[in-house]
Amino acid sequence: MRLLLFSLILLTIACRRPSKQLVAMLTPVNQTEISDYSQYLKAGDELVAKGNEPFWSLTVNSSRGIMRFKSLNGDSISIPAPERQTDSDGTFRYTAQTESGRMNIVFRPDSCVDSMSGQRFDYRVNVDVRGKNYVGCGVSLRQVALLQDIWVLTDLQGVAVKAPGDGRELPRLEISLTEGRVTGTTGCNRLNGNVKADSRQILFGPLVTTRRACVGEGAELESKFISELTLPFTYQIANMKLILLRAGKPVMTFKKVD
């Protein structure tokens, strides 16, 4: 009897003690494989290509006006980025004169999978330099770089989201792919965590949120918002809007913060 009474006292004290755990962990349901381009985004690279047998890599940094090519064959070239020439079918190419002769690079739109890593790319790439031909895969990071901004939710599951009248904020995401981090708010609670994106997909999580009580419409909105964020999306960016889709259908729409 004494042991039972003592256990009840301890349980009562534990329930009254204020919790120091002010966050909830939200882990993605589907750990979709998404390539990590953070190092290239940090460097400001716009195009990335690579291949095997022998291993080689190519980056084009338009902001700095630099093109870099490296291979295990000993070819290492860093030159001013030449003008990009684009064909009607989406193929684009670069032609440059190097110290050892002409260099030709062609990016052709086509699904391309790296034979060693299994990583998916959007272009098949050919590089001709110093009498050698290098074949591999490539990706443009223009679309990915556009994700790096502050986005406010305007539509969720086909329903327009209106600003609450009680002083609460609309759900908002601030995406930093260079750091692999996302911060923001659910409307009631602060959130932060990890984010990864490639040229087609984006995945949030694990995410951490504070645990401030949220009631009424705010609670319902927060629940739906957080639930959707634990699943991977494809995405589209146009006219200062970010649309997150699943199975080709819009799930959430955000507008860019001016």
Side-chain angles (χ1 to χ4, degrees):
M1 184 67 180
R2 290 181 179 178
L3 179 61
L4 177 60
L5 181 60
F6 181 68
S7 298
L8 289 174
I9 292 173
L10 287 179
L11 180 61
T12 301
I13 294 173
C15 291
R16 290 179 179 177
R17 183 181 300 160
S19 174
K20 295 182 180 180
Q21 181 66 22
L22 298 178
V23 298
M25 182 69 75
L26 304 157
T27 304
V29 175
N30 187 342
Q31 291 287 351
T32 299
E33 279 299 321
I34 296 179
S35 302
D36 182 7
Y37 292 116
S38 59
Q39 62 174 320
Y40 300 106
L41 292 169
K42 282 182 180 179
D45 294 327
E46 178 183 321
L47 291 170
V48 177
K50 58 180 65 176
N52 307 303
E53 299 180 359
F55 174 80
W56 62 270
S57 66
L58 170 77
T59 59
V60 178
N61 191 313
S62 297
S63 60
R64 297 182 181 178
I66 298 174
M67 173 184 286
R68 291 189 175 94
F69 177 84
K70 294 181 180 180
S71 82
L72 289 185
N73 275 345
D75 293 325
S76 181
I77 299 171
S78 180
I79 59 174
E83 183 179 352
R84 175 169 166 169
Q85 300 172 333
T86 305
D87 300 340
S88 58
D89 64 354
T91 297
F92 59 90
R93 63 193 74 240
Y94 296 91
T95 301
Q97 190 67 37
T98 71
E99 293 180 355
S100 56
R102 186 175 293 274
M103 182 178 186
N104 294 303
I105 303 165
V106 180
F107 281 71
R108 291 187 175 87
D110 193 4
S111 181
C112 184
V113 178
D114 185 274
S115 59
M116 291 187 65
S117 67
Q119 184 177 353
R120 182 196 58 78
F121 293 84
D122 300 325
Y123 295 89
R124 293 190 180 276
V125 183
N126 281 270
V127 179
D128 290 304
V129 61
R130 294 175 178 170
K132 303 167 189 174
N133 177 250
Y134 297 89
V135 179
C137 303
V139 63
S140 170
L141 299 183
R142 284 183 177 180
Q143 182 87 343
V144 184
L146 291 176
L147 283 167
Q148 299 203 115
D149 222 309
I150 303 175
W151 304 94
V152 175
L153 185 68
T154 61
D155 188 283
L156 175 61
Q157 298 176 344
V159 179
V161 178
K162 298 180 181 179
D166 57 3
R168 285 183 289 107
E169 300 177 89
L170 285 172
R172 183 181 73 253
L173 299 176
E174 183 171 354
I175 299 172
S176 174
L177 294 174
T178 55
E179 302 299 329
R181 303 293 298 173
V182 60
T183 58
T185 175
T186 67
C188 290
N189 287 283
R190 303 293 301 173
L191 70 81
N192 70 81
N194 299 335
V195 61
K196 290 201 303 183
D198 59 19
S199 58
R200 298 183 184 181
Q201 298 182 95
I202 185 168
L203 178 66
F204 299 95
L207 298 175
V208 173
T209 68
T210 55
R211 301 184 69 180
R212 175 186 174 189
C214 190
V215 297
E217 293 182 359
E220 183 179 0
L221 175 60
E222 179 182 64
S223 177
K224 290 180 179 179
F225 182 62
I226 288 297
S227 177
E228 293 292 0
L229 283 180
T230 60
L231 296 170
F233 299 95
T234 56
Y235 68 92
Q236 298 173 354
I237 301 177
N239 302 319
M240 299 183 71
K241 290 184 179 181
L242 167 62
I243 303 175
L244 302 183
L245 308 97
R246 197 168 293 127
K249 296 181 179 181
V251 176
M252 289 192 273
T253 300
F254 297 79
K255 69 176 181 179
K256 181 179 176 179
V257 175
D258 296 333

